[in-house]
């Protein structure tokens, strides 16, 4: 399960030691949650690439009961879950045919 800390800005002195005062830019909980969530999703992409780079399979999943997961796993930290990832080696015949994808012309807009 991947989570992010909604109070991540409290760590500014550690991860941005040359300008710890920038913590004040994120006092608003709504904007802080938006930035924290966006960065968490970006880091999740790197996590998935790393898992696959070492030869394991990764199955990211959404659509779960975030509140239940957070109550069971994140209660002590206050972190917020945003993705569950199963990681491991697939069993025999674990793959199905690739599902249909949109054509590039439908999904991509070039400017």
């Amino acid at each position: 399960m991947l989570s992010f800390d909604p109070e991540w800005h409290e760590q500014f002195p550690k991860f941005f030691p040359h300008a710890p005062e920038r913590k004040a830019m994120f006092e608003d909980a709504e904007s802080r949650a938006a930035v924290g969530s966006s960065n968490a999703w970006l880091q999740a992409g790197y996590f998935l690439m790393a898992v696959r780079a070492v030869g394991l399979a990764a199955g990211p999943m959404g659509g779960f009961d975030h509140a239940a997961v957070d109550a069971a796993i994140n209660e002590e930290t206050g972190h917020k879950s945003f993705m569950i990832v199963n990681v491991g080696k697939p069993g025999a015949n674990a793959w199905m045919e690739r599902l249909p994808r949109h054509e590039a012309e439908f999904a991509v807009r070039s400017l």
Side-chain angles (χ1 to χ4, degrees):
M1 183 257 322
L2 301 181
S3 302
F4 77 95
D5 181 0
E7 301 298 326
W8 60 268
H9 71 304
E10 295 293 340
Q11 300 300 317
F12 248 95
K14 182 171 183 135
F15 68 79
F16 213 61
H18 57 284
E21 71 280 358
R22 293 201 181 164
K23 167 188 162 187
M25 295 169 45
F26 299 98
E27 291 299 323
D28 175 61
E30 190 174 315
S31 65
R32 184 172 63 248
V35 170
S37 177
S38 294
N39 281 307
W41 281 99
L42 180 64
Q43 293 303 316
Y46 287 115
F47 173 76
L48 295 172
M49 289 181 4
V51 166
R52 292 173 177 159
V54 297
L56 296 171
M61 297 178 277
F64 59 94
D65 185 341
H66 297 268
V69 169
D70 291 342
I73 298 173
N74 286 332
E75 186 172 24
E76 292 179 18
T77 65
H79 294 177
K80 301 295 180 192
S81 60
F82 66 95
M83 182 188 296
I84 292 177
V85 183
N86 57 49
V87 176
K89 294 190 180 275
N93 301 316
W95 309 108
M96 61 182 184
E97 293 294 318
R98 182 176 174 166
L99 296 172
R101 303 292 194 264
H102 288 297
E103 299 296 327
E105 296 77 23
F106 177 83
V108 177
R109 179 178 172 209
S110 297
L111 302 176

